Amino acid sequence: MKNKKIRVRFAPSPTGPLHMGGVRTALFNYLFARRNKGVFILRIEDTDRERYVPGAEDYITESLKWCGIETDEGVPVGGPCEPYRQSERKEIYRQYALQLIESGDAYYAFDTPGELEKLRKDYEKEKKGVFQYDSTTRKTLSNSLTLSESEVKDRLTVGEPFVIRYRMPENETVVLNDIIRGKVEVNTSTLDDKVLYKSDGMPTYHLANVVDDHLMEVSHVIRGEEWLPSLPLHIMLYRSLGWDSQMPQFAHLPLLLKPSGQGKLSKRDGDRMGFPVFPLQWKDPDTAEIVPGYREEGYFAEAFVNILALLGWNPGTEKEIFSMEELIEAFSLEKVGKSGARFDPEKAKWFNHKYLISRSNKELSKLFIPLLREKGVEVQPELVEKVVGLVKERVSFAHELWEESRFFFVRPEKYDQQVVKKRWKSDTSLLLKKVSEILEKVDPFEAGVAEETVKKFLEQEGIGAGRVMLPLRIALVGESKGPGLFTISEILGKEETIARIKEAVAKLA
Ligand code: GLU
């Protein structure tokens, strides 16, 4: 076991768009594989045909690609354990289901869904607790343990629907060893007889998952905490199939929690609070509903990966910004916590901001230029680069650059009335006229020179800077924001600066 080659798998079910918690599971598997020079497998668990959603598999592969999570083996790249889509492995599972019947570890059950439903209701009515198919109840139900051999044979021959259930032994202790959670003991008498296989020829998750992890020589099963309750059954299955000496190690990752810290992070939290819970935008094939994705909202893939990495994993230092390479270098399962990881949407934006400001002005301007074109701006790439450099500190997303910098490209259409009311006094227009005359003479029209000239003039005239600067900003920007006033005027150029002052004076006087 010690020297077993590290092989991990991400095993999503294509039942809809992949939740960010699923992407985190994929990421942790990937980091673990890379850190240990192992193999990352992508296996598609599509045996539940009722929940199958067309397009979901492509969504999964595209999401991983966007995140930079490279699949070594599996869908769609292939590999030595093909096929990697469970619906294409039906025959394999059938053999193992029959092997379990043969060894007495599983049995046929013929109870109809209606009969079982009635039992559930009766239990509820009679306050006998929750009905489960287990070592006690199976004795009175319709299965190959209670029916005669010939009766079972007849039923199978005429094609009566059946399921194959695992025969959970009574009163045995299963020891679960989880890398993150440590050792837990469970008594098998508390467990039910789960369905392993159905007469439609499909295995259930439990059988397919265990068989494939074994056949694909998976060394570590790293998955979400919601699968922990299935672990005792999986361990029992390894035993019954004679594979317990080659059992993988298990690590169950903590849940992602709502921003409040109370309960599991859901799509509804995202809708309510305005953040995505999916990596990419997704259009529901039935309802045509569009759910937002991190990519389309303007997150950098690197930022998204960084955000996910710190949900449950703690590097043990103050460092927060990690590239994929740095994550691979620092990652270990021992540093993954047990308790739920609270998702903070504001912090997520902060991460994107950090990645944004670390991009060169040129790179950012490339993201910004299409947006400017959409707004009808005639683009001068050098100017855009300069502008981006001036405002990028103020934004978290490339699309926010427009709001912060539009005044560089278009004249203000309106002026912030609140500021105008407070700061545009009876003599303001006259003062601005004077300032524009001063600016007219500034040559070269550079920020430093213009600032010095205007300040000197104000001093000489005994005019407080406060009376001029904010109105001047209103004239150039339309509101009281933006980088340094004279930097703005330099970029606008002398002519445009003076034109804007004139326009404001005309409109606001
Ligand atoms: N198909 C399961 C899922 O959708 C896989 C769980 C596991 O990794 O064992 O999450």
Side-chain angles (χ1 to χ4, degrees):
M1 186 73 204
K2 280 245 158 56
N3 297 321
K4 202 168 158 183
K5 169 105 179 127
I6 300 293
R7 289 172 61 82
V8 294
R9 85 303 190 272
F10 176 51
S13 298
T15 54
L18 185 62
H19 186 275
M20 59 192 282
V23 188
R24 188 206 46 181
T25 301
L27 176 66
F28 283 17
N29 273 284
Y30 177 72
L31 296 176
F32 183 76
R34 284 287 174 276
R35 176 82 189 99
N36 296 291
K37 312 241 173 311
V39 172
F40 173 78
I41 303 167
L42 174 62
R43 183 171 75 219
I44 299 294
E45 302 209 328
D46 56 350
T47 56
D48 188 345
R49 298 319 277 179
E50 273 164 36
R51 296 185 60 219
Y52 180 81
V53 173
E57 183 184 308
D58 288 343
Y59 181 96
I60 291 165
T61 47
E62 201 185 327
S63 301
L64 298 189
K65 202 165 144 206
W66 181 60
C67 293
I69 298 173
E70 298 158 354
T71 301
D72 301 313
E73 235 183 85
V75 174
V77 291
C81 307
E82 274 172 0
Y84 290 91
R85 219 174 262 113
Q86 289 188 327
S87 58
E88 295 164 19
R89 299 170 63 81
K90 285 174 7 184
E91 188 44 37
I92 300 174
Y93 311 123
R94 199 178 72 91
Q95 285 170 23
Y96 288 108
L98 294 180
Q99 180 187 319
L100 289 169
I101 297 250
E102 201 66 27
S103 64
D105 291 299
Y107 58 90
Y108 292 105
F110 300 97
D111 321 82
T112 65
E115 286 164 357
L116 294 176
E117 190 49 36
K118 185 173 178 311
L119 275 168
R120 257 176 232 123
K121 288 212 173 113
D122 290 349
Y123 265 60
E124 222 172 274
K125 232 188 286 161
E126 292 159 30
K127 301 218 166 8
K128 295 204 304 207
V130 180
F131 167 76
Q132 61 173 28
Y133 212 117
D134 59 20
S135 53
T136 320
T137 57
R138 71 163 87 104
K139 291 178 189 137
T140 60
L141 293 163
S142 191
N143 53 53
S144 55
L145 304 174
T146 57
L147 302 170
S148 72
E149 213 171 300
S150 63
E151 166 99 42
V152 171
K153 218 166 157 196
D154 288 349
R155 288 188 184 214
L156 292 177
T157 320
V158 299
E160 191 169 311
F162 66 86
V163 296
I164 295 178
R165 284 182 184 272
Y166 185 67
R167 184 183 187 170
M168 189 58 79
E170 269 173 86
N171 206 18
E172 279 184 31
T173 303
V174 205
V175 183
L176 322 178
N177 275 308
D178 187 276
I179 296 174
I180 296 167
R181 277 143 224 283
K183 190 165 136 183
V184 184
E185 291 188 359
V186 176
N187 187 300
T188 53
S189 295
T190 63
L191 304 172
D192 62 342
D193 290 357
K194 283 271 185 290
V195 175
L196 301 178
Y197 192 83
K198 294 168 287 179
S199 47
D200 66 359
M202 277 295 188
T204 58
Y205 155 72
H206 302 292
L207 180 67
N209 189 270
V210 165
V211 165
D212 284 349
D213 283 346
H214 175 74
L215 297 180
M216 296 179 184
E217 297 183 18
V218 167
S219 64
H220 293 75
V221 169
I222 305 167
R223 62 185 169 196
E225 179 180 324
E226 63 272 30
W227 301 105
L228 193 58
S230 303
L231 187 54
L233 169 64
H234 294 183
I235 290 176
M236 293 305 290
L237 278 170
Y238 277 100
R239 263 199 227 168
S240 301
L241 289 161
W243 300 333
D244 41 349
S245 63
Q246 299 142 51
M247 201 156 64
Q249 284 180 262
F250 294 92
H252 288 84
L253 306 175
L255 285 178
L256 296 194
L257 303 179
K258 294 178 191 301
S260 64
Q262 308 289 311
K264 211 167 135 180
L265 180 69
S266 73
K267 174 175 174 296
R268 222 169 325 130
D269 300 314
D271 294 344
R272 205 164 41 85
M273 298 174 67
F275 61 84
V277 294
F278 300 104
L280 316 178
Q281 185 175 291
W282 162 261
K283 185 172 173 189
D284 188 298
D286 290 332
T287 62
E289 185 204 355
I290 302 234
V291 299
Y294 279 86
R295 183 177 65 183
E296 289 73 12
E297 295 290 301
Y299 279 85
F300 295 107
E302 294 85 345
F304 180 59
V305 164
N306 199 150
I307 293 163
L308 290 182
L310 292 173
L311 288 172
W313 171 74
N314 185 335
T317 63
E318 294 294 302
K319 186 173 161 70
E320 287 189 294
I321 301 294
F322 287 87
S323 67
M324 189 68 101
E325 283 66 41
E326 289 171 324
L327 287 173
I328 291 170
E329 185 60 34
F331 187 79
S332 78
L333 288 172
E334 283 69 28
K335 289 192 198 135
V336 175
K338 278 201 266 287
S339 45
R342 193 177 69 83
F343 175 68
D344 178 352
E346 289 310 312
K347 189 78 197 240
K349 284 188 197 159
W350 177 86
F351 272 107
N352 210 58
H353 168 75
K354 287 287 177 198
Y355 276 85
L356 186 140
I357 57 173
S358 73
R359 294 278 166 113
S360 71
N361 297 343
K362 197 177 183 106
E363 276 175 276
L364 288 176
S365 69
K366 281 195 186 135
L367 297 176
F368 189 29
I369 284 173
L371 240 134
L372 286 170
R373 294 220 164 97
E374 251 172 56
K375 303 277 181 192
V377 171
E378 219 176 283
V379 169
Q380 293 166 262
E382 266 168 45
L383 172 73
V384 177
E385 256 179 63
K386 219 189 251 176
V387 165
V388 160
L390 286 173
V391 300
K392 67 180 183 183
E393 275 292 343
R394 299 160 192 263
V395 303
S396 299
F397 303 98
H399 60 78
E400 290 175 347
L401 289 167
W402 171 249
E403 238 357 88
E404 290 302 322
S405 70
R406 56 186 292 156
F407 54 87
F408 283 110
F409 307 103
V410 289
R411 279 194 193 169
E413 289 134 22
K414 50 184 185 350
Y415 303 100
D416 183 333
Q417 281 311 310
Q418 255 183 333
V419 186
V420 170
K421 230 169 155 182
K422 245 171 73 194
R423 308 300 276 272
W424 204 280
K425 310 277 183 204
S426 54
D427 61 349
T428 303
S429 295
L430 197 66
L431 284 174
L432 285 195
K433 262 189 208 158
K434 281 193 186 166
V435 169
S436 81
E437 278 160 25
I438 296 290
L439 287 172
E440 191 91 56
K441 289 188 214 117
V442 172
D443 190 26
F445 197 70
E446 284 168 6
V449 187
E451 180 164 13
E452 212 176 293
T453 315
V454 170
K455 286 208 166 138
K456 219 178 194 171
F457 159 76
L458 295 177
E459 240 166 65
Q460 270 167 9
E461 301 284 309
I463 304 167
R467 285 163 65 198
V468 171
M469 292 309 178
L470 197 54
L472 190 52
R473 185 174 285 278
I474 289 292
L476 300 187
V477 177
E479 49 191 322
S480 56
K481 70 171 184 195
L485 196 48
F486 293 97
T487 309
I488 297 175
S489 69
E490 179 184 318
I491 290 183
L492 291 177
K494 190 190 280 187
E495 217 177 292
E496 178 66 12
T497 301
I498 289 172
R500 286 192 188 191
I501 297 175
K502 279 203 178 123
E503 196 165 309
V505 166
K507 287 185 173 163
L508 296 171

